[in-house]
Amino acid sequence: MSRYDAAKIEPKWQRAWEEAGTFEAKRDPAKPKYYVLEMFPYPSGRIHIGHVRNYTMGDVVARYKLAKGFSVLHPMGWDAFGMPAENAAMASGGHPKDWTYQNIADMKAQMKPMGWSLDWTREFATSDPEYYGQQQSMFIDFMEKGLVYRKNAVVNWDPVDMTVLANEQVIDGKGWRSGAEVERRELTQWFFKISDFSEELLEALDGLKDWPEKVRLMQANWIGKSRGLKFGFERTDGGAPIEVFTTRPDTLLGASFVGISPDHPIAKALEEDNPDVAAFIHECRKGGTTEEEIETADKLGYDTGIRVRHPLNPEWELPVWIANFILMDYGTGAIFACPAHDQRDLDFARKYGLPVIDTFFALDDPKPVENEAFVPPKTEKVKWINHFAGLDENTGEEAVEATIRFAEELGWGTGVTQYRLRDWGLSRQRYWGCPIPVIHCDNCGAVAEKKENLPVRLPDDVSFDVPGNPLDRHLTWRHCDCPQCGGPAQRETDTMDTFVDSSWYYARFTNPHADTPTVPEDVDYWMNVDQYIGGIEHAILHLLYSRFFARAMHIAGHLPEKSKEPFNALFTQGMVTHAIYQTRDADGRPVYHYPEEVELTETGARLKATDEPVEVIPSAKMSKSKKNVVDPVDIVERYGADTARWFVMSDSPPERDVEWTASGAEAAAKHLARVWRLAVEIAETTGEGEGDDVLLREMHKTIDAVTKGIEGFLFNTSIARLYAFTNTLAKSKAGAEAKKQAMKIMAQLMSPMTPHLAEEIWAHLGGEGLVAKAPWPEADPAMLVEDTVTLAVQVNGKRRDEITVAKDMPKDEVEALALATAGVQRALDGKPPKKVIVVPGRIVNVVA
RNA sequence: GCCCGCGUGGUGGAAUGGUAGACACAGGGGACUUAAAAUCCCCAGCCUUCGGGCGUGCCGGUUCGAGUCCGGCCGCGGGUACCA
């Protein structure tokens, strides 16, 4: 019997698909369309087992939909701009462009043998001038529509390298290369007005029925709509009032001090002529810009000496402190602090000896606050102490609304709705990104480049031997003529955030080489993405930016109304993890080893080369630096693509992280070989047998279960059913015809996961054409129903026995049978049952 | 810190509020073989006086019935606006 030889068979079918143009997406008005998209990869140079999992999931859906008669679009491209290319250039002296395009070629060569049903004719990279030129054109459209503006924003500044650092380049508050203490510094930057869409982006989440609930929740929290009160504190020195925003105006009688951000105009004014303030603010600006770093930093405060009057009592004066935990970006950059009901304020008050004033207690426990702020849910009733708006026992929500009404009636405050979502800062002081198509002219200001001059191409002759943005130093590129007045001017040297590139690539795939960003007939036909698949790490930023961008594109006329939400359904898959193998060097520092360097024995792990014992750290996210990576290319070379595909789809539920184990891949290979042997054996079988009906019933149940599994992204359960059906088929004594039919159905059901093996079996059993194009089998509902059902019989919720009864047996008969069982008799021990619950077709529970 | 998830045998995991552990890996036993590999068959949560008892991270609650729903902890992961 011929052994299944993946290395020969897989390329054969890949050629067959290619020659037939099986996966080229064609607009076909006669068919419904289906657009499957996996988040496109960053071209790091090697495909990763996580990519294999992601793209195989999409492929299963794409192949299934093709078999269901859809006209399928399943494209692939490259998220090709970004920092790693520049880092590589700095490290090895090459050019980011060469590095990137070489990586793309390498990765494509690794992806092709996987047999994914991708339409490679639509491939592009975001670093292609053809792509980013269209992006620049849309940027200009957005400028005209008032969706773009400039303002100051803080960046991580490395004072030694004199350059801006990304958050990941700041390690423990220090620059990754220079080791210098990083400072927060302001720069003028370009912004998209995503905040204009806060309410719309929030409300539209409700319509995204096929998105995971957790993603919608995360986005809603990120947008962060809150209702609160805005009012001014009068200064005793006659200066302009300090405007604050608070979501807890009801706690105003617990006010202890007013806090302002170190970036607040008052703080900045004081910084000018007070060296103490300047020193304090300098201290506050140390460290990176991330919310995490700012929130977890030690609380620092400085009493400005300024005093303000409490709005409810002019005699009551509050001090104004500069506090490092107050963000200038949120609200007004100033707050009043109520330490009794906010942990951060309490920590601050305790540190600086400021008063802590209780304003409400728990209903049953009137205990003053000591070291833990009392912060009950806003929906819980609390007991107020002399509330100014006449409250007694009310919830926080009611109190906030009552307070806002009170303040508005007396005219000292206004109820406002505030969003946490900030405008999207898209400027990057880096080379390897899409140039912002703007020219700065002394006479005309910031002017858009003329569209006929697009794309504004990145110059190739740059070097990375000095820190900073090479575009700043490239004088011939930088100096140009003003598009408006023709006078001498300078190009913008900031490039765009790479999130811009990935915010519209899905639309570009509908016609990737058009000389406009999109083409109406193509977006009308192909959009929206019917199924988008990617990592949960993109739950907020990428997906929110894309939702905004689609709206902006609609406003600029590049997408139809229906595409304002571009992704109809979203699935977020888990990561692939692997154990880390490490030993220690003489100084105790960890030394990492690749899995293939390690031998696993019963007594523990050892290095193959030296027999040195190895520490095993289980289940960590794969990362090159820790060497816990598995190269899919090795698996494919050893077992074939189908084995790799089958393994990544089996066992683990797709949304969960999966641990890669070599034994799992081995087992997958064995199973596929077994299916092939079975197919060959069945092809040679002739004559009648017994139990055809049993086999065919099982077949229909399998069709039903596998189909439901694919539809519901429960690929692991589909695969479990296919394992079970293999066992059934192998043991079946049914006749040749029934077995052949069952085997062909199995090939079809396996084809989304293991398409090459499926084609080979299909052909071997005389199936017509390509299995990839054969219509998906339908389960016969009549074959799915059973006449009898086995019910568990419980006593007090504990299983004591079981009965097998006709499916439609009346409740009282079931009850009688259940009570008569030995298990129930024993458990009841002669006592009468109190109650019997019969759930038809499910269970009987006797309450004793 | 804050937001969002996840936690089930030795392992990956299955289970519309209704028989916890399907399916598989590793393991044990057997068949075939001179032997091995490959393959095939069987066993298997833990404890047990063989009646049963205990079991889905921990503590509590709702329910006739909780892995599943609710509250509180613990641990791990993702995000935290310049990694992509």
Side-chain angles (χ1 to χ4, degrees):
Chain A
M1 187 201 300
S2 67
R3 227 184 120 70
Y4 185 77
D5 186 357
K8 269 194 195 137
I9 287 165
E10 291 181 351
K12 177 176 84 181
W13 291 110
Q14 285 166 19
R15 269 197 307 279
W17 298 324
E18 194 160 344
E19 278 159 19
T22 314
F23 307 124
E24 268 176 47
K26 302 236 167 58
R27 269 185 5 222
D28 183 349
K31 280 185 185 174
K33 68 90 191 180
Y34 199 88
Y35 183 1
V36 196
L37 183 67
E38 300 100 48
M39 291 179 186
F40 65 165
Y42 179 79
S44 58
R46 302 294 294 174
I47 66 166
H48 178 277
I49 200 76
H51 293 124
V52 172
R53 193 166 181 231
N54 189 197
Y55 301 136
T56 301
M57 281 177 203
D59 200 45
V60 169
V61 175
R63 286 174 176 273
Y64 168 72
K65 290 291 176 181
L66 192 68
K68 287 289 256 184
F70 289 85
S71 170
V72 171
L73 172 59
H74 186 207
M76 182 54 66
W78 309 95
D79 190 13
F81 276 136
M83 236 179 20
E86 288 191 34
N87 292 341
M90 279 183 250
S92 66
H95 195 285
K97 185 174 164 183
D98 300 335
W99 184 87
T100 301
Y101 282 90
Q102 185 58 52
N103 282 352
I104 288 173
D106 291 348
M107 278 177 87
K108 191 175 172 184
Q110 294 161 40
M111 288 165 78
K112 281 274 194 165
M114 293 306 304
W116 290 319
S117 64
L118 294 163
D119 179 357
W120 284 103
T121 67
R122 290 171 188 258
E123 176 191 5
F124 63 80
T126 55
S127 54
D128 297 343
E130 192 187 24
Y131 181 80
Y132 71 71
Q134 297 302 328
Q135 188 164 304
Q136 290 169 338
S137 165
M138 284 198 290
F139 183 90
I140 293 166
D141 294 340
F142 294 177
M143 284 175 86
E144 282 166 9
K145 299 288 181 189
L147 297 168
V148 183
Y149 70 104
R150 293 174 92 199
K151 70 170 177 183
N152 284 354
V154 285
V155 294
N156 301 305
W157 182 256
D158 185 322
V160 169
D161 277 352
M162 303 287 280
T163 187
V164 177
L165 299 179
N167 287 333
E168 84 166 357
Q169 297 173 319
V170 179
I171 295 151
D172 294 330
K174 300 197 172 64
W176 67 329
R177 300 177 84 89
S178 69
E181 217 159 325
V182 170
E183 296 164 14
R184 292 192 283 272
R185 175 183 274 216
E186 285 197 347
L187 283 183
T188 304
Q189 314 234 57
W190 290 95
F191 284 82
F192 285 130
K193 283 189 108 175
I194 190 172
S195 64
D196 279 4
F197 298 80
S198 299
E199 184 62 34
E200 197 189 323
L201 289 167
L202 179 65
E203 272 187 11
L205 288 172
D206 286 341
L208 300 175
K209 302 282 183 224
D210 293 319
W211 281 42
E213 182 60 34
K214 61 182 169 187
V215 174
R216 292 188 284 161
L217 237 185
M218 280 189 260
Q219 292 216 353
N221 290 338
W222 184 262
I223 294 168
K225 182 178 185 175
S226 60
R227 170 96 173 136
L229 185 72
K230 203 177 199 174
F231 65 96
F233 279 99
E234 298 290 337
R235 285 169 64 158
T236 55
D237 61 7
I242 300 176
E243 284 275 311
V244 300
F245 169 75
T246 176
T247 58
R248 289 311 298 259
D250 52 319
T251 62
L252 195 47
L253 285 175
S256 163
F257 62 96
V258 167
I260 61 173
S261 164
D263 299 312
H264 194 278
I266 292 175
K268 284 186 171 170
L270 288 172
E271 184 184 9
E272 297 281 307
D273 41 41
N274 183 334
D276 283 352
V277 175
F280 173 76
I281 289 178
H282 184 72
E283 193 61 30
C284 289
R285 287 188 184 137
K286 278 185 186 165
T289 56
T290 66
E291 189 187 86
E292 184 190 2
E293 221 175 322
I294 291 165
E295 288 276 331
T296 54
D298 286 338
K299 308 282 170 288
L300 294 178
Y302 183 92
D303 186 352
T304 59
I306 297 169
R307 294 293 177 265
V308 295
R309 295 184 206 288
H310 196 286
L312 298 171
N313 176 4
E315 305 296 307
W316 184 357
E317 292 188 4
L318 296 168
V320 177
W321 285 67
I322 302 171
N324 64 343
F325 61 86
I326 300 168
L327 303 171
M328 195 57 219
D329 290 317
Y330 185 70
T332 61
I335 59 151
F336 81 80
C338 176
H341 305 295
D342 183 296
Q343 191 61 44
R344 225 166 31 178
D345 294 350
L346 183 65
D347 294 343
F348 191 88
R350 291 294 185 224
K351 180 167 179 180
Y352 293 105
L354 292 157
V356 176
I357 308 158
D358 296 290
T359 65
F360 55 77
F361 295 126
L363 290 183
D364 53 353
D365 184 20
K367 185 179 74 207
V369 162
E370 285 181 22
N371 289 317
E372 206 176 311
F374 177 48
V375 193
K378 273 188 177 176
T379 49
E380 194 175 302
K381 277 196 177 183
V382 291
K383 172 90 179 151
W384 294 85
I385 309 162
N386 293 329
H387 195 274
F388 54 94
L391 300 170
D392 179 26
E393 289 186 4
N394 294 82
T395 66
E397 263 168 7
E398 290 163 351
V400 169
E401 283 311 313
T403 308
I404 291 170
R405 276 197 306 277
F406 178 87
E408 284 182 338
E409 272 163 28
L410 292 176
W412 56 265
T414 327
V416 292
T417 298
Q418 190 79 35
Y419 299 89
R420 203 185 78 102
L421 180 64
R422 307 199 295 256
D423 278 331
W424 175 4
L426 67 115
S427 289
R428 295 293 179 270
Q429 294 70 42
R430 272 188 265 286
Y431 166 78
W432 192 235
C434 171
I436 293 175
V438 168
I439 288 159
H440 297 281
C441 169
D442 286 343
N443 296 321
C444 311
V447 184
E449 175 61 279
K450 288 180 187 161
K451 280 202 175 177
E452 68 251 37
N453 293 339
L454 298 183
V456 176
R457 285 171 183 270
L458 284 172
D460 286 335
D461 52 334
V462 287
S463 69
F464 293 87
D465 40 13
V466 203
N469 182 357
L471 295 178
D472 278 334
R473 304 189 294 266
H474 196 296
L475 299 182
T476 52
W477 183 82
R478 196 171 166 179
H479 290 283
C480 62
D481 297 335
C482 172
Q484 208 158 294
C485 70
Q490 301 213 358
R491 284 194 190 285
E492 172 64 64
T493 58
D494 283 356
T495 52
M496 295 187 204
D497 178 6
T498 55
F499 275 124
V500 182
D501 312 335
S502 55
S503 288
W504 72 287
Y505 74 109
Y506 50 87
R508 185 68 179 169
F509 274 135
T510 63
N511 189 337
H513 304 295
D515 54 13
T516 48
T518 60
V519 173
E521 304 89 80
D522 293 299
V523 283
D524 284 345
Y525 182 79
W526 289 115
M527 285 298 285
N528 298 340
V529 176
D530 293 284
Q531 182 65 61
Y532 196 31
I533 305 169
I536 186 66
E537 66 270 23
H538 295 292
I540 298 174
L541 294 179
H542 162 62
L543 289 165
L544 191 63
Y545 288 152
S546 295
R547 295 177 62 217
F548 158 73
F549 218 82
R551 283 168 170 77
M553 284 175 75
H554 170 64
I555 289 167
H558 299 301
L559 277 179
E561 172 83 27
K562 68 167 183 180
S563 301
K564 283 161 89 176
E565 286 298 341
F567 311 124
N568 290 349
L570 172 70
F571 186 85
T572 55
Q573 102 273 11
M575 294 176 305
V576 181
T577 61
H578 194 281
I580 295 172
Y581 301 116
Q582 67 174 36
T583 52
R584 304 268 174 182
D585 68 7
D587 301 323
R589 284 183 301 243
V591 178
Y592 299 105
H593 304 278
Y594 287 109
E596 57 269 26
E597 296 169 30
V598 177
E599 187 165 27
L600 299 172
T601 65
E602 279 175 32
T603 52
R606 286 175 182 279
L607 275 188
K608 282 179 188 166
T610 60
D611 210 37
E612 194 182 341
V614 171
E615 272 179 75
V616 181
I617 300 165
S619 288
K621 180 176 170 174
M622 283 194 184
S623 118
K624 263 192 178 166
S625 61
K626 304 240 165 95
K627 296 194 177 176
N628 63 333
V629 288
V630 175
D631 198 327
V633 173
D634 296 343
I635 315 281
V636 175
E637 277 173 5
R638 188 152 173 198
Y639 303 109
D642 280 344
T643 292
R645 297 170 58 116
W646 183 259
F647 174 61
V648 292
M649 300 307 278
S650 60
D651 288 352
S652 251
E655 71 275 13
R656 215 183 294 177
D657 294 349
V658 62
E659 170 89 5
W660 176 273
T661 58
S663 58
E666 176 79 35
K670 279 186 189 176
H671 178 73
L672 298 187
R674 182 184 180 210
V675 173
W676 172 245
R677 277 197 308 275
L678 192 55
V680 171
E681 192 186 299
I682 287 172
E684 289 160 3
T685 308
T686 52
E688 304 285 306
E690 51 193 60
D692 286 11
D693 184 63
V694 177
L695 178 64
L696 295 180
R697 270 181 182 277
E698 214 41 55
M699 181 187 86
H700 281 278
K701 280 189 199 164
T702 306
I703 294 172
D704 186 58
V706 170
T707 305
K708 282 182 178 148
I710 292 174
E711 296 259 4
F713 270 82
L714 300 162
F715 307 119
N716 55 320
T717 64
S718 289
I719 287 191
R721 290 305 296 245
L722 286 165
Y723 268 109
F725 190 54
T726 308
N727 292 335
T728 305
L729 186 53
K731 283 175 194 163
S732 172
K733 303 262 191 301
E737 276 318 300
K739 281 191 166 185
K740 276 177 191 161
Q741 193 192 345
M743 194 68 223
K744 279 172 79 179
I745 292 291
M746 177 124 84
Q748 283 193 281
L749 296 178
M750 287 176 75
S751 69
M753 282 73 91
T754 56
H756 313 86
L757 173 63
E759 293 288 4
E760 192 67 17
I761 292 174
W762 186 255
H764 194 75
L765 289 174
E768 210 176 303
L770 290 167
V771 75
K773 285 185 164 177
W776 190 255
E778 299 270 349
D780 177 357
M783 298 288 266
L784 302 178
V785 285
E786 297 284 355
D787 324 330
T788 61
V789 58
T790 301
L791 301 180
V793 181
Q794 300 181 329
V795 178
N796 291 336
K798 286 197 164 78
R799 185 183 174 280
R800 295 297 173 192
D801 218 317
E802 63 178 36
I803 50 175
T804 301
V805 300
K807 200 178 161 55
D808 51 0
M809 181 182 276
K811 271 193 180 188
D812 51 343
E813 284 176 39
V814 172
E815 181 174 330
L817 275 175
L819 286 174
T821 58
V824 172
Q825 289 300 315
R826 215 168 23 233
L828 286 178
D829 197 20
K831 290 184 280 275
K834 284 194 188 123
K835 193 173 161 189
V836 180
I837 291 149
V838 178
V839 184
R842 287 271 169 217
I843 206 162
V844 181
N845 190 15
V846 179
V847 184

